[in-house]
Amino acid sequence: AGGGGIINIVTKKNFMQGFNGSANLGYGGMYFDRWDQSADGSLNLNYRGRKTNTFLTYSARYDDMTAELLSKSLYGPDNGYTMSNSSHLLMSNFNQMFRAGNDWYINDNNILGVIVNGTFRNSSNDTYGDNFTEHLLGEDILGRLTSDIDNNDKFNGISANLNYTHTFDRSRMQELTLNADYSYYDILNTSFQSDIPDPTITALIALDSTIFRQNASQKLQIWSAKADYQQLFWQTGLLEAGLKWSRTVTDNNSVREDFFNDIWNYNNSLSNIFLYDEQIAAAYISAAKSFGQKWSVKIGLRGEYTYARGDWRSAGETSTKSYFNLFPTAFVSYMPTQKWRLAASYTRRINRPGYSQLNPFRTYISSNSFVEGDPNLNPQFSDQVSLTVGYGQHFNLSLLYQHNSNLIMQHPEVNPDNGEQSLIWENFGTQALAGASLSVSELPVTKWLNFSANYFAAYNSNVSTSDSYSGGSFLQSFYGSLNFLLPKDWKIEIGGFGSGDMTMGYMDIRPMYMLFGGIKKNLWDGRGTIALNVQDLLRSFRTNVSSYTGDVLTYSLDQRMNMQKVTLSFSYRFGTTGNVRRRNVGNVEESSRVGGSTGISTGQTGGGMGR
């Protein structure tokens, strides 16, 4: 993190050759009103030859989970009517990933490498049991709709990387690394939803059947090229510089059909075509230097030019953006003694919206609520100043101030005519956080017990630029664990985490917490491990979010996730071990913006909340 000195480690040629790897298996489950279960496995293989290093990783995971969702919104004259949704959801996911590559050590100064990554995921989000939407006036039911929702997602992504590293002078760590990447993603969402008037309820207001199906596809291509250079200077200094260019092209197509008069009818107003093209050119330079045994400094500057064009063809709208930004960083650390550490830093960062957040299509999360993107979203900027004091290897205290502008948030809106709920991605405005974090890392209470914890507390201020809304709150979060080190390589861990009330943008978030526990046994001199873990011991985890218009509660969501599972896992390491040079290759930042949430989010930044 730029807080320490420069360590120059020059490895010798006596790499240990041979084959090594690891394997992992796990299964978990728990009964609620049905049996929820999960299973996962992974295999990591590596072969180090005299001139090559070959690696292969494959992992697969299946997981299903049930949830209960209750949402309410107020609408009509003086917000006198209430629309209430009650849903029981079954969410399942099957995910497969692989990573394969090879490095060719052409000679002592030249390495050529290739990496291929793949991600393939099938998921579904369906209702089961009794699901309904009610319209009420006070306690009186004006009408009820029975609801049925089936949402399915397919995510297929593959990427390839070609990299080359040339070492000019190993003693000075002088080297140049080149990367060229290409990624392709094919995402398909299909949904079927219906609301049918409940014949057992006498409707006092007119409720019509709504049955529709929707196919939404998103195809993305990402090209990226970058060059990174580094070298030592003045014995204890490290200079780094680089250039990067990337281009992302997305093709989004959504088709909706409504069912009436016993046939499927194309819905022109809710079917969309949206194309998005974005290019980013960047350059950076940084210098780090140690001054004696106590002081070290690192400063850097990154410049980025962005050009983006959105073409919402079905709406006949286009948008073009062109902007240049500078991002400075500075770190200073001081060690007056062997035990005390002090560090100060300033960073400015950019957080661009995800590609799904730029997509103006609707994604329904319940029969009468949906998420919608905004092609005019601007990137979010964050400035953070921090001061950290550390003592020994166990204690750290950090003070920080963070200011976010163009904060990317979801704006809850309610249709005043029928209570329909929507979450629209927008640039909310500004957010400021001022607080402190105290962490304790593996503090030995006794020879057989250690303690780890992190506590974060801050005041959070939110000011909207689109209206007169402003709000703030004191927020806090906590994580803690006790580790019992028992004879014969047994270990028991008990812990939990939670957060208090907080306000993020328009949303008030109620406290949440979860406890966990586990027991682990090392086998065969540490090569094997068997573990039994339980998450959400008290079945306490739930999300409760509300939104206000003025002083009136207009929207609320109570979501209980059945996350408790008992999981048994086994892992084993095999083969020879030796030094394999770690290389910074095959990392495309734009890939992290692919995909997206179809539910409620409290923002895109971590907010410095002790995570």
Side-chain angles (χ1 to χ4, degrees), residues 46-324:
N46 190 93
Y47 177 76
R48 177 66 165 96
R50 189 174 65 88
K51 285 290 187 179
T52 63
N53 182 66
T54 306
F55 55 90
L56 171 66
T57 299
Y58 172 80
S59 64
R61 177 175 177 83
Y62 173 80
D63 187 70
D64 61 30
M65 179 173 60
T66 52
E68 302 170 15
L69 185 149
L70 177 64
S71 63
K72 294 182 179 181
S73 59
L74 304 181
Y75 71 99
D78 299 322
N79 289 324
Y81 295 93
T82 301
M83 186 185 73
S84 174
N85 284 316
S86 179
S87 301
H88 294 82
L89 302 177
L90 171 60
M91 298 169 285
S92 62
N93 179 75
F94 179 59
N95 186 49
Q96 300 181 83
M97 301 177 64
F98 77 86
R99 180 179 175 90
N102 193 82
D103 288 332
W104 290 273
Y105 299 91
I106 301 171
N107 53 43
D108 290 347
N109 297 323
N110 295 279
I111 304 175
L112 179 66
V114 62
I115 303 171
V116 179
N117 295 281
T119 301
F120 309 97
R121 182 174 67 245
N122 291 318
S123 59
S124 63
N125 190 346
D126 305 329
T127 55
Y128 73 98
D130 188 19
N131 305 278
F132 57 86
T133 299
E134 289 182 339
H135 293 260
L136 304 100
L137 178 61
E139 299 295 329
D140 298 328
I141 299 177
L142 304 179
R144 177 187 290 175
L145 298 167
T146 58
S147 303
D148 185 26
I149 306 170
D150 294 300
N151 292 321
N152 295 279
D153 290 278
K154 289 185 177 180
F155 181 102
N156 297 317
I158 193 164
S159 63
N161 165 267
L162 181 65
N163 60 81
Y164 169 74
T165 299
H166 175 70
T167 301
F168 299 94
D169 186 339
R170 193 173 299 275
S171 65
R172 298 177 59 202
M173 293 179 63
Q174 185 182 16
E175 66 180 33
L176 173 69
T177 299
L178 305 176
N179 278 270
D181 293 86
Y182 173 76
S183 303
Y184 176 77
Y185 299 92
D186 188 352
I187 306 169
L188 176 64
N189 171 267
T190 61
S191 61
F192 171 85
Q193 301 187 42
S194 68
D195 285 311
I196 307 296
D198 189 340
T200 64
I201 300 294
T202 302
L204 301 181
I205 59 175
L207 296 176
D208 298 324
S209 299
T210 301
I211 303 175
F212 70 89
R213 62 188 183 187
Q214 181 172 288
N215 291 327
S217 67
Q218 185 179 52
K219 300 181 187 299
L220 303 97
Q221 297 185 79
I222 302 175
W223 297 265
S224 175
K226 63 178 181 176
D228 298 282
Y229 174 82
Q230 71 170 37
Q231 74 167 59
L232 290 175
F233 69 94
W234 297 342
Q235 294 184 337
T236 61
L238 180 66
L239 176 70
E240 296 175 283
L243 300 170
K244 180 181 177 180
W245 170 86
S246 68
R247 182 186 181 189
T248 303
V249 176
T250 70
D251 183 350
N252 309 277
N253 194 324
S254 176
V255 176
R256 169 164 165 162
E257 295 178 303
D258 296 304
F259 188 78
F260 56 88
N261 295 331
D262 295 327
I263 60 173
W264 289 103
N265 299 269
Y266 180 81
N267 188 318
N268 187 64
S269 63
L270 292 177
S271 297
N272 288 282
I273 297 175
F274 177 68
L275 307 178
Y276 181 75
D277 191 337
E278 177 187 271
Q279 297 189 59
I280 302 172
Y284 77 92
I285 185 169
S286 69
K289 181 76 170 68
S290 294
F291 299 91
Q293 299 294 320
K294 296 183 178 182
W295 289 92
S296 64
V297 177
K298 182 176 182 179
I299 57 174
L301 182 66
R302 180 181 180 92
E304 294 189 358
Y305 172 76
T306 303
Y307 174 83
R309 185 178 188 276
D311 184 2
W312 191 357
R313 293 189 174 180
S314 49
E317 299 178 7
T318 60
S319 61
T320 301
K321 296 179 181 179
S322 176
Y323 52 90
F324 177 77

Side-chain angles (χ1 to χ4, degrees), residues 375-414:
N376 295 311
L377 275 179
N378 291 312
Q380 174 180 313
F381 297 94
S382 174
D383 293 89
Q384 179 172 301
V385 179
S386 68
L387 175 64
T388 301
V389 179
Y391 179 76
Q393 57 181 318
H394 304 296
F395 299 96
N396 283 282
L397 173 65
S398 296
L399 306 177
L400 70 87
Y401 174 78
Q402 180 175 298
H403 182 271
N404 301 310
S405 57
N406 290 341
L407 184 69
I408 298 176
M409 291 285 295
Q410 289 175 314
H411 187 176
E413 297 180 357
V414 175

Side-chain angles (χ1 to χ4, degrees), residues 406-546:
N406 290 341
L407 184 69
I408 298 176
M409 291 285 295
Q410 289 175 314
H411 187 176
E413 297 180 357
V414 175
N415 188 319
D417 297 324
N418 58 20
E420 187 177 50
Q421 306 153 356
S422 59
L423 293 165
I424 312 298
W425 287 105
E426 71 169 21
N427 290 113
F428 166 80
T430 60
Q431 178 192 60
L433 282 168
S437 173
L438 175 64
S439 63
V440 180
S441 176
E442 296 185 350
L443 178 67
V445 181
T446 68
K447 291 183 179 181
W448 48 269
L449 174 65
N450 64 53
F451 171 68
S452 297
N454 179 276
Y455 175 74
F456 177 78
Y459 182 78
N460 170 38
S461 173
N462 306 271
V463 179
S464 171
T465 55
S466 61
D467 51 43
S468 59
Y469 176 86
S470 64
S473 68
F474 175 78
L475 57 88
Q476 55 186 333
S477 63
F478 174 82
Y479 166 85
S481 67
L482 291 171
N483 289 275
F484 299 86
L485 309 177
L486 305 180
K488 298 183 178 180
D489 284 330
W490 284 91
K491 179 180 178 180
I492 296 176
E493 181 179 14
I494 299 174
F497 61 88
S499 61
D501 283 295
M502 68 180 73
T503 299
M504 301 291 284
Y506 297 101
M507 299 181 185
D508 290 341
I509 306 169
R510 297 292 296 166
M512 60 184 76
Y513 71 96
M514 181 192 294
L515 301 179
F516 59 85
I519 183 170
K520 182 173 70 173
K521 165 69 172 169
N522 289 333
L523 307 168
W524 307 306
D525 295 326
R527 286 184 173 268
T529 301
I530 186 169
L532 183 70
N533 293 286
V534 184
Q535 64 176 356
D536 198 7
L537 282 167
L538 303 180
R539 298 190 175 186
S540 59
F541 189 79
R542 64 193 307 159
T543 304
N544 191 308
V545 180
S546 57

